[in-house]
Amino acid sequence: MNLLKLSTINELVKLLARKKTGFFLLLSALLPFIGLPIVMKLQSGLGVMGVSNVQYPITILNILTVFVLPLMMFMSVSDMFSGEFGDKTIRSVLVRPLSRLKIFSSKLLAMFILIAGQLLLGWMGSVLATFFLPTSANLMGGLAEAALAYAVAALPMFALCTVTAFITQFFKNASGALAICILLYVAAKLITFVYPQFTVLSPTTYTDWHELWIGSVISIQKIATIFSFLLGCGIVFYTSGYYFFDKKEV
């Protein structure tokens, strides 16, 4: 367990050392303030009710889970797996006294921590940004709901991360893996409009499942069903991804 912990810290340090990781972390924290002028213009300048300060953190979360987090994930996971096999730097990792299972798990754990950190930064930034908007009656209740939404939004991101790790096992360069991940993600999103009956079988459908946790009516049965599906996806793609990672030759 200690080796797994040290390997996870090592992978996390490697991730944080990349400029693109710093950019996405900064973007997550600043995104609520970047969108603030637009919302304020809609609410006051044009006299249009755009987004209330209670809804604002959820609006930012929707942007994070649909665009920012998946893109950061595709880039980072492609570098961690396909990139390291492509430039042979994975050799320096494999010679350590660690099993491939622990190496594979530590990479995913580091990615999970990064996703959780990005959600935390997004939540903190959106909460601070709401104080620049006109106050509504139930602000504290809305912020509590937002905190819950940001916490549960991590689950579909974790499931999507295992899917990405599985896909990148079939590439030996990061750019190819990144391109395919983006294309598949966009296709999975677009197919929702053509064949909505098939989208229930895709983890990309549930990037907005946090919206089930907010509001006056919460469907426990639907939440339990989606939770089971996402957990099952995570287990299947984690196991499959590790299988191909273990069989890969350097």
Side-chain angles (χ1 to χ4, degrees):
M1 187 58 74
N2 190 47
L3 288 176
L4 178 62
K5 177 184 173 183
L6 293 175
S7 181
T8 301
I9 293 173
N10 182 61
E11 293 295 336
L12 187 59
V13 170
K14 286 162 57 180
L15 278 174
L16 293 175
R18 292 171 175 148
K19 290 183 179 178
K20 64 184 74 173
T21 303
F23 168 77
F24 278 105
L25 287 172
L26 189 62
L27 178 62
S28 299
L30 296 182
L31 185 61
F33 299 97
I34 295 172
L36 200 55
I38 300 173
V39 174
M40 295 177 73
K41 186 71 174 177
L42 286 172
Q43 289 182 325
S44 59
L46 300 179
V48 177
M49 179 57 71
V51 180
S52 72
N53 60 348
V54 174
Q55 296 171 327
Y56 191 63
I58 303 300
T59 302
I60 295 299
L61 179 58
N62 289 335
I63 297 173
L64 284 174
T65 55
V66 173
F67 299 106
V68 180
L69 280 170
L71 182 57
M72 184 276 296
M73 182 192 308
F74 298 153
M75 295 177 72
S76 299
V77 175
S78 296
D79 286 341
M80 293 169 77
F81 291 101
S82 303
E84 290 192 4
F85 273 98
D87 57 22
K88 308 296 183 185
T89 55
I90 192 68
R91 289 176 177 172
S92 61
V93 180
L94 295 177
V95 295
R96 296 172 186 165
L98 281 170
S99 66
R100 287 206 178 194
L101 176 60
K102 288 183 177 178
I103 294 172
F104 182 78
S105 300
S106 64
K107 288 179 178 294
L108 284 182
L109 285 172
M111 198 63 225
F112 291 167
I113 293 171
L114 186 60
I115 291 170
Q118 220 171 338
L119 285 170
L120 178 62
L121 287 173
W123 174 74
M124 294 172 66
S126 61
V127 168
L128 290 175
T130 56
F131 291 100
F132 292 93
L133 295 171
T135 306
S136 65
N138 191 25
L139 176 60
M140 296 311 296
L143 294 181
E145 280 190 341
L148 176 63
Y150 273 78
V152 300
L155 179 62
M157 293 296 105
F158 291 166
L160 189 58
C161 188
T162 60
V163 177
T164 307
F166 169 76
I167 294 172
T168 55
Q169 300 305 314
F170 300 96
F171 296 88
K172 286 191 174 181
N173 64 82
S175 57
L178 174 61
I180 292 300
C181 287
I182 292 175
L183 285 174
L184 289 176
Y185 179 74
V186 172
K189 284 292 187 184
L190 292 179
I191 203 171
T192 304
F193 303 103
V194 184
Y195 300 106
Q197 65 273 27
F198 297 129
T199 59
V200 294
L201 301 177
S202 170
T204 59
T205 304
Y206 306 106
T207 53
D208 61 347
W209 94 305
H210 53 269
E211 294 189 355
L212 296 175
W213 292 76
I214 58 179
S216 56
V217 179
I218 298 177
S219 174
I220 301 299
Q221 184 178 1
K222 191 171 183 179
I223 287 174
T225 301
I226 296 176
F227 175 81
S228 302
F229 174 76
L230 292 174
L231 184 62
C233 276
I235 294 172
V236 168
F237 282 103
Y238 170 82
T239 307
S240 303
Y242 165 66
Y243 174 80
F244 289 106
F245 181 79
D246 188 46
K247 300 299 179 186
K248 288 188 82 168
E249 296 182 359
V250 182

